[in-house]
Amino acid sequence: MTTRILVGTRKGTFLVERHDGRWRPRLAGHAGMGVNYVARDPFTGKLWALLGHGHWGAKLSVSDDGGATWADNPAQVKYPEGARYIGQDMYEDATSDFGVGWRIATRPATLQKLWVAGFGPGGAVYIGTIPGGLFQSRDGGATFELNRPLWNHESRGGDLFAGDGIGETKWFGTPASEGGEFAPGIHSIAVDPRDPGRLLLAASTAGVIATDDGGQRWRAANRGMLLDHTPEPDAEWGHDTHFIEQCQAEPDHVWQQNHAGVYASSDCARTWRKVSRPAEGVHFGFPITVDPAMGRRAWVVPGRSDQQRMAIDGALFVARTDDGGESWTHLRRGLPQECAHDVVLRHALTNGGGVVAFGSTTGNLYVSEDHGERWETVANNLPPIYSVRLG
Amino acid sequence: MATVHLTPHLFTHFPHLSREPLEVEASTVREVTLALERQAPGLGFYLCDELGRLRTHVNIFVDKQMVRDRRGLSDPVERQSEIHILQALSGG
């Protein structure tokens, strides 16, 4: 039985442990600081917290003693000199019939947000950032380096270290940036348990990206996904993946909550199939989690379309599929069914060993110990919750 | 030696620093940040981004004048200057 839940919030890191038959949260560090993501490296036991200081920028914080004490990691994530990216700007233009113009602008990259961490064997630590960087360490976090093949990928305009590239990007931005710019961000990192050289990433807004050689070459992995609200639904790039997660025991099974619906893959993201059931309320949302032991079982926390982005009709529920998305069960026992308008962000739902946990931006934390059949309200007054992980 | 007064907020992140004002040898604000980085490794990245620009919500005052060159930090510092490093107030 899992006994600890790590919670990143707008105002600190919380640990939730089970004592005397109850889950009890406690503030465990970073009081007053924005904590975008907290996770345990399963290979080293080290805890990593991705901080977003309002004043002092984004920082990596680590704990070697299970969360008792924290310190800034000696190596911080920094874009190397000369790192640039192509962004899009809307600007005031009195000469335009519309009063505004649109232009692409090549900008120097500075760290706006540390968004997600991933871990592999042999000291591999991966950090996804805004604007759109994958930083990797091969020494347990003693040093970090920007993955240049991905940064310089042709889908983003080519090598802007060396020159002006091809002047066009197929990656778009996300409003999740803390820097105010509409820049892309990497929010999902899945290291294949069969081969740590195989990684799946997801970026907003680009889609799923894969490598088979440890990050030397990258390709889009968006086949089967549909941009059904755009003129080019089957575009290779530009998909608004909200989160992906790979099954540990059956890694060919990968799940995706997308802006445009729920998708599943049973061939390690080579192809995707849409498994949304809009009539049943399973379509829009941010997080998704797959049972680490069973690739056809996954959970989502649906929201009412992208126009509202909150619990449907004020009644909070989790939906689970046990058959690869063929059917979904609404799980409501113990969850508030009146005047509940929770929003659950992309990193704030997780599961393992039968425990399912999620937290909302209204500071509510819910835990189930039976795959979601019954829920316990663990907290109602936490700060806005950004991430919920087991560890 | 110029005297640097840090916002107490920074002592939370660099608890080994004395809470007394710091003395630094510097003729520009850039040199102040470099001197602080030597005294407290990591502090420079709290004040400035990778490009060396002063972070948006950080302010530095030299003898009560707010720094003007937020990119190059070329504002001059005198031997008797009093420097205050503050966080700009923003949001909850």
Side-chain angles (χ1 to χ4, degrees):
Chain A
M1 172 64 71
T2 302
T3 56
R4 195 165 67 164
I5 302 167
L6 311 173
V7 181
T9 78
R10 186 175 168 185
K11 291 291 182 180
T13 295
F14 292 80
L15 296 183
V16 185
E17 292 164 316
R18 191 162 169 76
H19 296 297
D20 304 325
R22 281 190 55 207
W23 293 93
R24 297 172 189 269
R26 61 183 171 85
L27 180 63
H30 311 117
M33 304 173 202
V35 184
N36 293 323
Y37 193 84
V38 188
R40 178 178 177 273
D41 181 342
F43 300 96
T44 65
K46 183 182 288 191
L47 301 186
W48 290 81
L50 280 48
L51 309 183
H53 293 293
H55 300 91
W56 315 115
K59 300 289 181 289
L60 287 172
S61 180
V62 293
S63 175
D64 290 315
D65 54 15
T69 61
W70 295 86
D72 278 6
N73 194 53
Q76 291 292 323
V77 164
K78 298 179 181 178
Y79 286 83
E81 188 175 354
R84 300 189 298 158
Y85 69 102
I86 297 174
Q88 298 96 16
D89 277 335
M90 187 174 71
Y91 63 98
E92 296 297 321
D93 182 0
T95 66
S96 163
D97 290 343
F98 308 105
V100 295
W102 181 256
R103 66 187 167 202
I104 61 169
T106 302
R107 302 192 181 102
T110 58
L111 181 61
Q112 295 180 26
K113 182 171 185 165
L114 299 164
W115 210 359
V116 71
F119 308 102
V125 181
Y126 299 94
I127 305 291
T129 67
I130 299 176
L134 176 70
F135 288 82
Q136 57 191 115
S137 174
R138 297 183 177 87
D139 49 21
T143 59
F144 282 95
E145 188 177 15
L146 177 68
N147 181 288
R148 295 201 184 209
L150 181 62
W151 184 259
N152 296 336
H153 198 270
E154 61 181 6
S155 63
R156 314 176 71 175
D159 186 352
L160 303 183
F161 283 99
D164 291 333
I166 58 178
E168 180 187 14
T169 182
K170 294 175 181 173
W171 291 38
F172 301 101
T174 168
S177 160
E178 290 173 1
E181 289 178 12
F182 200 62
I186 293 173
H187 52 62
S188 303
I189 301 170
V191 181
D192 195 313
R194 297 165 297 195
D195 176 356
R198 295 175 67 181
L199 272 73
L200 296 172
L201 310 180
S204 288
T205 301
V208 181
I209 310 145
T211 180
D212 295 327
D213 57 10
Q216 296 306 305
R217 288 169 298 178
W218 296 89
R219 65 179 188 280
N222 299 316
R223 190 175 301 162
M225 291 156 53
L226 286 175
L227 282 163
D228 49 16
H229 54 292
T230 74
E232 191 183 357
D234 57 351
E236 186 177 24
W237 294 96
H239 294 268
D240 196 354
T241 302
H242 285 174
F243 192 62
I244 63 167
E245 195 168 275
Q246 183 175 33
C247 178
Q248 290 298 295
E250 299 177 297
D252 277 344
H253 288 271
V254 187
W255 287 80
Q256 174 180 173
Q257 176 69 66
N258 187 297
H259 191 97
V262 182
Y263 287 87
S265 172
S266 50
D267 56 11
C268 203
R270 276 185 281 280
T271 60
W272 295 95
R273 64 183 185 281
K274 198 170 193 173
V275 294
S276 285
R277 295 291 183 272
E280 300 170 30
V282 177
H283 184 70
F284 185 83
F286 293 100
I288 192 164
T289 188
V290 55
D291 190 324
M294 190 185 304
R296 291 170 65 79
R297 171 182 282 170
W299 294 260
V300 293
V301 188
R304 170 74 79 193
S305 78
D306 58 346
Q307 296 174 27
Q308 291 188 7
R309 305 176 182 219
M310 58 185 186
I312 297 171
D313 297 335
L316 183 61
F317 71 96
V318 174
R320 188 187 72 214
T321 179
D322 297 324
D323 56 12
E326 294 294 315
S327 64
W328 293 87
T329 303
H330 287 203
L331 306 166
R332 298 178 183 270
R333 284 179 65 189
L335 295 176
Q337 297 303 298
E338 291 182 354
C339 205
H341 299 287
D342 295 57
V343 180
V344 181
L345 298 182
R346 69 194 76 214
H347 300 136
L349 167 69
T350 191
N351 89 94
V355 170
V356 190
F358 71 100
S360 68
T361 60
T362 30
N364 300 318
L365 181 68
Y366 306 100
V367 180
S368 167
E369 296 181 38
D370 54 8
H371 302 101
E373 296 293 332
R374 293 167 300 167
W375 294 90
E376 175 186 345
T377 301
V378 171
N380 287 120
N381 298 294
L382 293 178
I385 292 172
Y386 294 156
S387 82
V388 177
R389 304 284 103 176
L390 301 181
Chain B
M1 300 280 272
T3 304
V4 181
H5 305 266
L6 294 177
T7 169
H9 192 166
L10 281 169
F11 296 120
T12 305
H13 304 296
F14 297 91
H16 67 284
L17 284 177
S18 158
R19 288 188 171 242
E20 299 300 314
L22 302 167
E23 301 292 323
V24 299
E25 196 78 54
S27 60
T28 64
V29 171
R30 173 70 69 214
E31 291 178 15
V32 171
T33 65
L34 295 173
L36 292 174
E37 173 68 20
R38 285 192 293 273
Q39 294 192 31
L43 181 53
F45 195 47
Y46 272 65
L47 305 179
C48 298
D49 66 16
E50 294 97 318
L51 300 176
R53 301 176 301 192
L54 195 60
R55 294 189 183 279
T56 304
H57 299 294
V58 177
N59 277 335
I60 298 181
F61 291 82
V62 180
D63 298 323
K64 301 182 181 177
Q65 296 296 312
M66 193 161 77
V67 66
R68 295 171 61 191
D69 179 7
R70 297 183 68 93
R71 183 191 300 261
L73 304 186
S74 62
D75 299 51
V77 169
E78 307 295 335
R79 287 179 65 84
Q80 302 304 318
S81 285
E82 296 280 333
I83 297 159
H84 289 80
I85 298 181
L86 309 173
Q87 72 235 38
L89 295 179
S90 55

